[in-house]
Amino acid sequence: MTEEAENEITEITHKNQRMRLLEIVRIMRKHDFIRNFVKQQHPAEIRQALEELGPTFIKAGQLLSTRPDLISPTFIKEFRKLQDDVTADSFATVEKIFSEQTGKQVDQVFSDFEKEPFASASIGQTHRATLKNGTRVVVKIQHPDVEKLVATDLALFSQALKIVKFVPDISVVDPVEVFEEVRHSLLSEINTENEVHNGTRFYQLNNHHGIFLVPRVYEEYSTQKILVNDEMPGISIEEIADQKLSQNPVEAKKQQQTRTFLARALVENFIKQVFVDNFFHADPHPGNILFWKIPKFEPHIQPDLERQLRARFKPKTNLPDYRLIYLDFGMMGKLTPNLADGIANVVIALNTKEPRSIGQALLAICNRTGEVDQEDFYDQLAVFLAPYLHSGLGEIDFPTFIYEIISLCRQNNLQAKPEVTLLVKAFGLLEGLVAQLDPKLSMMDIARPFGRKYLRQKFNFRNDVEDTILNLFNATKSLPQLPIKAEKVLDLLLQGQGRMNIRYKGQDSLLNRFEQIVNRLMVTIVLAAIILSSSLLVQGSAGHPAIYNIGVTGYLISFLIIVLLILDEMRRYFKHKK
């Protein structure tokens, strides 16, 4: 999102801004938007509100449907029903945008360009076309003024949050945090250059890696509002997963072998993306993964697109005659090597099924937003994980699991890093697809061999052995000195100079409470002294107005201190109750 585009908001008349703002507030009040959203209740009502609010809000809801760290599983399920219903732009508008963005006319770049789009969504519409060299491509073109409209709606929605005065009894989610996350994601998505760079990098890392193909992005024709990439054949992988097995046992066995091979390939490739590339597809739902059966080469009857692809993607002899194709690179995850190591430690800890080890690994990949009682966190985590540690992967409801564990972290002043929540969400989507293809397949079983290989690469066992031998040598040298050191310790204890530090769970809280009690006791003693002194002064002040006034002032000070103590105690009570 450019600074110029954001500044264009000011160009809209105050009348239009006011009318749109009033419309947003009206629809929000009609559906009790703030209350329902903050309490995460009545998801269907919120979905209807988003549909009435228009394309910007529909897209925001679709983005939220991919964020299990921000909204509950029921809202995620409901928001996935949101459908774009945007009228397509005319071909004249498309030609104008293409010319403004690239400096070329459509017929200068393409030998054929379908005037009617085959898809139109909130951000843009997509056309099929053919480059001058005969390559079949798809062209995604952003709707005009999308930047300004999105920025305006987001600015007005921010104002609406302030206008609709409501403080909920229980805040399940933080609306400000959600708004900022959606704002960032939406402004990032309308800049097509991000998808261009992501698509190019993913193509370099994964195209022809095993059975995987990735459409090539044509950067020379792509801009901030235009994306041009290869047209790819195939059907959604979900059709393969939902296909009924044949009645013929031999054929059914072949079908299941294909599904198992696809499931294993998806998991192994995803693990590579995360731990080798540190760059992964963050939205691997079935609609973004195609299955393509490579046809036999028959040049006289084969369609142009399949003939082109058959010639370019020559199958290797050790691979089956089908491919998986990744699409849509608008939402990608990027990890630093250190963060990837931290995530690997979490996976290793999960295999141990020890809550303390899992907790220590989680602490390493979370940001601390306040004081953290680690022992208390380990205890809560152990209770939470107990039912999951004895369940199979296919038995776990991942959206609920993710939402609850992130909530547990937040309660302990821990905030999962955005890259981690994106990875867990992608893992959940992929796990659902793998379970459809082969319910008996365990993603952890596939990941275990890779984990061993990853550890061998990351840790230098030769150095570890050398360090161990050196430590053992130093320990051997220290053995003769142990009796002398033991004698010194006994001498210190006998002389009364020994000191032992003991720390226990909740120590800081108990000491703070004890300090408060001592402070209150001291205040009470001082207060009693003031009241007693004031009483003596008032009793003995006959004929001395000044002394009488001092005594009354003492009473007033005492009364003020008592009121403050009562108010402070009430504040503590209600704060603790919340």
Side-chain angles (χ1 to χ4, degrees):
M1 180 71 176
T2 62
E3 185 178 349
E4 294 178 0
E6 290 186 358
N7 291 336
E8 285 183 351
I9 301 172
T10 57
E11 296 178 9
I12 301 176
T13 64
H14 291 293
K15 181 180 179 180
N16 288 340
Q17 279 192 0
R18 187 168 61 253
M19 289 177 63
R20 177 58 175 160
L21 179 59
L22 290 175
E23 181 185 18
I24 292 172
V25 173
R26 178 183 61 79
I27 294 173
M28 289 172 65
R29 284 179 172 167
K30 173 185 172 183
H31 295 279
D32 204 0
F33 188 95
I34 301 295
R35 181 199 297 268
N36 288 332
F37 186 77
V38 170
K39 289 191 174 184
Q40 291 289 277
Q41 62 186 13
H42 308 306
E45 190 81 10
I46 297 296
R47 177 179 57 80
Q48 292 172 17
L50 293 175
E51 289 173 344
E52 288 185 37
L53 285 166
T56 302
F57 292 88
I58 290 173
K59 191 63 185 177
Q62 291 173 338
L63 288 170
L64 280 176
S65 72
T66 68
R67 295 298 301 271
D69 57 314
L70 296 179
I71 60 175
S72 66
T74 53
F75 267 65
I76 287 175
K77 184 177 180 181
E78 190 67 30
F79 282 4
R80 284 176 181 167
K81 299 177 184 177
L82 286 166
Q83 298 293 327
D84 293 342
D85 186 16
V86 180
T87 304
D89 299 320
S90 66
F91 184 62
T93 302
V94 169
E95 286 185 306
K96 180 181 178 183
I97 295 172
F98 189 86
S99 176
E100 290 174 348
Q101 287 285 301
T102 65
K104 299 178 181 179
Q105 301 300 318
V106 169
D107 57 8
Q108 290 180 290
V109 177
F110 306 101
S111 60
D112 177 63
F113 194 101
E114 293 184 5
K115 295 184 178 181
E116 293 297 323
F118 66 87
S120 181
S122 304
I123 303 300
Q125 60 192 53
T126 312
H127 298 254
R128 291 187 178 92
T130 306
L131 294 174
K132 290 290 187 179
N133 62 5
T135 302
R136 295 286 298 277
V137 295
V138 292
V139 184
K140 180 180 176 182
I141 297 186
Q142 197 175 107
H143 296 304
D145 298 327
V146 157
E147 283 186 331
K148 184 164 63 177
L149 292 173
V150 167
T152 302
D153 267 357
L154 289 177
L156 293 178
F157 181 67
S158 178
Q159 293 180 38
L161 282 176
K162 300 174 184 177
I163 291 174
V164 182
K165 301 289 184 181
F166 175 73
V167 179
D169 296 328
I170 300 175
S171 295
V172 180
V173 299
D174 182 352
V176 176
E177 179 190 2
V178 172
F179 172 76
E180 286 302 321
E181 287 288 339
V182 169
R183 178 181 178 277
H184 174 76
S185 299
L186 202 50
L187 295 180
S188 176
E189 181 158 335
I190 62 177
N191 185 355
T192 308
E193 288 179 342
N194 292 330
E195 189 170 354
V196 172
H197 298 322
N198 291 338
T200 300
R201 184 177 175 187
F202 198 80
Y203 174 86
Q204 294 167 348
L205 294 171
N206 292 281
N207 192 46
H208 286 306
H209 188 274
I211 64 169
F212 288 91
L213 299 177
V214 180
R216 176 189 169 190
V217 175
Y218 295 90
E219 294 185 80
E220 61 270 33
Y221 307 124
S222 300
T223 65
Q224 189 208 347
K225 295 185 178 182
I226 296 172
L227 174 67
V228 180
N229 58 249
D230 283 325
E231 181 182 0
M232 306 300 283
I235 58 175
S236 170
I237 193 173
E238 194 166 28
E239 293 188 34
I240 302 299
D242 292 340
Q243 195 177 66
K244 291 184 179 180
L245 294 177
S246 172
Q247 297 294 327
N248 185 329
V250 177
E251 189 63 29
K253 185 178 179 181
K254 288 182 179 179
Q255 284 179 280
Q256 190 55 58
Q257 286 175 342
T258 298
R259 294 183 186 184
T260 302
F261 186 89
L262 293 174
R264 294 187 69 89
L266 283 167
V267 176
E268 290 171 356
N269 181 259
F270 184 73
I271 292 172
K272 180 194 83 74
Q273 292 177 36
V274 174
F275 294 109
V276 177
D277 305 336
N278 298 154
F279 183 72
F280 62 93
H281 198 297
D283 195 21
H285 65 77
N288 283 339
I289 302 175
L290 299 181
F291 174 86
W292 178 47
K293 179 82 170 178
I294 302 176
K296 293 181 179 179
F297 188 54
E298 299 177 5
H300 298 293
I301 62 172
Q302 197 138 347
D304 289 342
L305 175 60
E306 290 189 348
R307 185 163 61 248
Q308 287 179 15
L309 291 171
R310 182 64 170 75
R312 288 168 56 194
F313 304 141
K314 295 179 181 178
K316 299 178 182 178
T317 55
N318 61 335
L319 292 177
D321 60 348
Y322 48 79
R323 295 290 181 270
L324 288 179
I325 302 168
Y326 269 109
L327 303 175
D328 191 355
F329 309 105
M331 189 180 300
M332 306 297 291
K334 302 173 185 177
L335 302 173
T336 63
N338 287 339
L339 187 54
D341 289 345
I343 294 166
N345 289 333
V346 173
V347 175
I348 294 168
L350 284 170
N351 276 291
T352 67
K353 296 189 176 181
E354 293 180 3
R356 191 178 188 86
S357 299
I358 297 171
Q360 290 172 342
L362 284 173
L363 287 173
I365 62 171
C366 287
N367 296 321
R368 302 191 181 201
T369 58
E371 187 176 351
V372 178
D373 187 332
Q374 293 185 194
E375 296 300 325
D376 193 40
F377 174 64
Y378 295 151
D379 291 343
Q380 293 178 40
L381 187 65
V383 174
F384 170 76
L385 289 175
Y388 292 103
L389 294 178
H390 302 288
S391 303
L393 196 65
E395 301 171 10
I396 297 176
D397 180 358
F398 265 91
T400 302
F401 175 80
I402 295 165
Y403 184 73
E404 289 180 354
I405 200 168
I406 289 174
S407 298
L408 177 63
C409 289
R410 282 180 174 171
Q411 292 167 19
N412 288 273
N413 296 323
L414 294 169
Q415 185 181 52
K417 295 178 181 178
E419 303 94 327
V420 176
T421 55
L422 204 59
L423 173 60
V424 176
K425 168 255 172 184
F427 179 84
L429 283 175
L430 195 67
E431 186 276 336
L433 178 56
V434 168
Q436 278 183 279
L437 290 167
D438 188 352
K440 297 179 182 179
L441 193 67
S442 168
M443 292 181 71
M444 288 299 183
D445 288 342
I446 300 173
R448 196 169 290 115
F450 179 87
R452 288 195 292 266
K453 180 181 176 183
Y454 182 81
L455 286 173
R456 285 197 298 269
Q457 292 175 342
K458 288 293 178 179
F459 301 101
N460 191 321
F461 287 103
R462 181 178 178 181
N463 290 345
D464 289 344
V465 170
E466 290 175 355
D467 291 342
T468 302
I469 294 173
L470 182 61
N471 290 334
L472 184 61
F473 175 72
N474 290 331
T476 304
K477 285 177 62 179
S478 301
L479 279 175
Q481 300 177 12
L482 284 178
I484 300 173
K485 291 183 178 179
E487 184 182 0
K488 289 181 178 179
V489 170
L490 289 172
D491 288 341
L492 288 172
L493 290 174
L494 290 173
Q495 295 170 14
Q497 297 179 9
R499 185 175 61 181
M500 184 178 294
N501 293 326
I502 300 176
R503 187 175 181 86
Y504 52 88
K505 181 180 176 181
Q507 172 180 306
D508 292 339
S509 177
L510 183 61
L511 290 176
N512 289 336
R513 186 61 181 163
F514 182 72
E515 184 180 356
Q516 290 173 7
I517 293 172
V518 172
N519 289 338
R520 289 293 175 87
L521 182 61
M522 294 301 297
V523 170
T524 303
I525 294 171
V526 172
L527 187 62
I530 293 174
I531 293 174
L532 182 61
S533 302
S534 299
S535 299
L536 292 173
L537 290 172
V538 170
Q539 288 293 329
S541 62
H544 298 281
I547 296 176
Y548 176 82
N549 289 337
I550 292 173
V552 172
T553 302
Y555 280 135
L556 291 175
I557 292 173
S558 301
F559 176 75
L560 180 62
I561 293 173
I562 291 170
V563 170
L564 291 174
L565 286 173
I566 293 172
L567 291 175
D568 184 58
E569 199 60 40
M570 289 176 64
R571 180 186 66 81
R572 291 177 182 275
Y573 171 77
F574 286 111
K575 183 179 180 181
H576 178 72
K577 191 175 181 180
K578 288 181 180 179

